[in-house]
Amino acid sequence: ADVTWIDRMQRRLLKVAAKISEEFDCGVLKMPWNSFVAGKREDAEVVDAAARRWNDDASSIVGWYVGIPLTARHPMARLVCQRMNLQYDSSLRRKYGTYLICGACVAFVVLTVGAVAKDLKLIDFAAVAATISPAIFWAIREHFRQLDSAKTNETLKGEAEKFLESVRTSGLDEAECEKRSRELQDALFQRRVANPLVLPLVYRVMRGELEKQAQAGADALLRER
C-alpha cells in the first residue's frame, strides 16, 4: 500500500500544494509565473475544492508574511519575504527532525525496558521488535530527510542574505532584485515539490513561536536597510 498508493498520492499532492503556494507567492510578491519551472497553473476547480474543505479559522492564514511594514520598498521587501520563508521552513524541519529521532529513541528504550521487565525470551523479543521496527526506521529515515531539506533551505537562505548584503552596501537595483527574486522563487518551488511532509499537528504547535522569530528577522533586515 505504501509503495503503490500512499507514496504516489503524497508526491502528487505535494506538487499540487507547491503550485498553489507558488501562485500565492507570485500574487503577493508581484512576480510573473514561470511555466518553464512550475508548469501549468493548478486548475481553479482544485483550488475551489480545497477552499471549501477548509474548516479552520480563516484568520490563521491571513497576513502570511508577517513583520513587513507598508513603507518598505517592494523589491527589498520581496527578498526579505523569500528569505523569511526559507528560514521558517528550515527551523520547522530541524525541530521536527529532532522530535522524530527523540521519539525513535524513546520507543527503543521502552521496548528494551519492557522486554527486560517481562523477562521475554530472545525469540519473543525479536517478534515484538519486528512489529515496532518499521515505525522506528520510518522516524529515523524522516529525521535525516528533514535535516537534508533544512540544510538545502539554509544554503538558499545564505544566497538571499548575500544579495541583501550587496544591496545594503551597493544600493538597490530593482531589475537585479527582480531577477534574483525570480531565481530564488524557482528554487523555492523545486524545494516544495521535493520536501518531505511535516505532520500538520506539529506545524500548528510550532507556528506561533516560528512566526515571532520570522518577524524579528524581517524587522532586523529591513531596519538595516
Side-chain angles (χ1 to χ4, degrees), residues 179-200:
K179 176 186 174 184
R180 291 297 184 92
S181 288
R182 185 61 263 176
E183 291 173 350
L184 270 175
Q185 194 64 33
D186 291 342
L188 272 168
F189 175 80
Q190 291 168 343
R191 292 310 308 154
R192 284 167 173 165
V193 172
N195 279 339
L197 289 175
V198 174
L199 293 178

Side-chain angles (χ1 to χ4, degrees), residues 166-224:
S166 70
V167 169
R168 187 180 71 83
T169 56
S170 306
L172 182 67
D173 185 331
E174 294 197 8
E176 185 66 15
C177 278
E178 185 171 350
K179 176 186 174 184
R180 291 297 184 92
S181 288
R182 185 61 263 176
E183 291 173 350
L184 270 175
Q185 194 64 33
D186 291 342
L188 272 168
F189 175 80
Q190 291 168 343
R191 292 310 308 154
R192 284 167 173 165
V193 172
N195 279 339
L197 289 175
V198 174
L199 293 178
L201 177 61
V202 176
Y203 164 75
R204 290 178 182 177
V205 170
M206 295 183 184
R207 180 177 173 181
E209 175 60 26
L210 291 178
E211 282 191 347
K212 291 177 183 177
Q213 295 175 13
Q215 183 169 356
D219 288 342
L221 287 168
L222 290 171
R223 189 166 54 248
E224 289 177 4

Side-chain angles (χ1 to χ4, degrees), residues 92-106:
L92 175 65
R93 293 183 184 282
R94 283 195 176 280
K95 290 184 178 181
Y96 180 47
T98 300
Y99 291 162
L100 285 171
I101 199 67
C102 289
C105 291
V106 168

Side-chain angles (χ1 to χ4, degrees), residues 56-70:
D56 206 343
D57 182 8
S59 64
S60 65
I61 55 174
V62 175
W64 192 257
Y65 292 109
V66 295
I68 308 296
L70 295 176

Side-chain angles (χ1 to χ4, degrees), residues 7-23 33-43 46-47 188-197:
D7 185 66
R8 298 308 306 161
M9 180 182 66
Q10 176 178 302
R11 304 315 304 176
R12 179 179 61 81
L13 293 177
L14 274 172
K15 191 167 186 179
V16 171
K19 283 190 173 185
I20 294 175
S21 297
E22 177 72 7
E23 189 161 3
W33 179 269
N34 188 354
S35 58
F36 183 77
V37 172
K40 186 176 76 72
R41 294 174 186 263
E42 198 57 51
D43 292 336
V46 175
V47 179
L188 272 168
F189 175 80
Q190 291 168 343
R191 292 310 308 154
R192 284 167 173 165
V193 172
N195 279 339
L197 289 175

